[in-house]
Amino acid sequence: MKIKQQLLELCTQCADKRVLGYKNEIELIKESIENNDKVSNEEDDSGNSKLLDDLEKNMNYLNDANKMREQLKLMRPNLVSDSVVLGSLVKTDSITFFIALSMGKVIVEGSEYYIISLASPLGQLLRNRKKDDEFQFNEKRYIIQEVL
């Protein structure tokens, strides 16, 4: 299960990067709000209103990213299930998926993997499927050859 560990590590790095990015953005917005408050003599608060909206959005994104990071911490790469669950490596006749978070295509040790979220449309199609199950996505048919 070395490959699952490597994919999980990539996901964790991505989640950490997202969290850091949102934290930095929040700090910049807070600084902008403070600077606007110091220099604003006008009654027009539309600038701060936009900044407050951006702050709220980024706080929500940060909250989601933290939840994603916590979910990744709960994943056990050694866990093997007969059906597709969070943390599964799903080998089909043409593509290999890792069920974790929405990250897209990555290449690890020369092999291509698609890291997808269980909540994504494709993740929902894969949920609880087993070896030899077939499914169709974007007019392409896939056969699950292995669930690790």
Side-chain angles (χ1 to χ4, degrees):
M1 293 299 140
K2 179 182 167 200
I3 192 65
K4 285 175 70 173
Q5 183 62 46
Q6 290 173 305
L7 291 167
L8 179 57
E9 182 59 34
L10 278 175
C11 291
T12 301
Q13 289 171 6
C14 178
D16 290 345
K17 187 176 177 182
R18 286 181 190 177
V19 166
L20 183 61
Y22 293 131
K23 283 182 177 180
N24 289 340
E25 187 66 24
I26 288 167
E27 287 306 311
L28 287 172
I29 293 169
K30 284 180 178 179
E31 286 176 23
S32 295
I33 291 171
E34 288 175 19
N35 289 338
N36 276 355
D37 286 345
K38 290 177 184 173
V39 296
S40 179
N41 295 335
E42 303 170 19
E43 292 180 20
D44 179 28
D45 281 339
S46 62
N48 269 0
S49 177
K50 169 87 171 84
L51 287 170
L52 288 171
D53 287 346
D54 289 346
L55 180 63
E56 184 177 352
K57 283 181 196 173
N58 278 282
M59 295 288 274
N60 288 334
Y61 294 151
L62 175 61
N63 187 35
D64 290 344
N66 276 322
K67 285 179 186 175
M68 178 178 35
R69 191 164 62 174
E70 291 305 311
Q71 192 173 20
L72 289 172
K73 287 180 183 177
L74 297 175
M75 288 175 54
R76 300 290 169 246
N78 297 335
L79 178 70
V80 177
S81 172
D82 289 344
S83 60
V84 177
V85 295
L86 184 67
S88 290
L89 190 64
V90 184
K91 294 184 179 186
T92 71
D93 51 336
S94 58
I95 296 175
T96 302
F97 300 99
F98 181 61
I99 312 299
L101 55 88
S102 294
M103 215 171 120
K105 181 172 86 170
V106 298
I107 296 177
V108 177
E109 294 185 3
S111 295
E112 215 174 72
Y113 300 90
Y114 287 83
I115 301 176
I116 64 169
S117 166
L118 201 53
S120 70
L122 184 53
Q124 289 296 304
L125 272 176
L126 286 170
R127 180 188 299 259
N128 296 323
R129 292 196 183 264
K130 296 177 171 27
K131 181 180 177 184
D132 297 326
D133 282 355
E134 293 184 27
F135 66 96
Q136 186 172 331
F137 186 73
N138 286 344
E139 300 180 20
K140 178 160 176 26
R141 184 166 294 287
Y142 299 89
I143 300 170
I144 297 176
Q145 296 177 332
E146 199 171 7
V147 177
L148 301 171

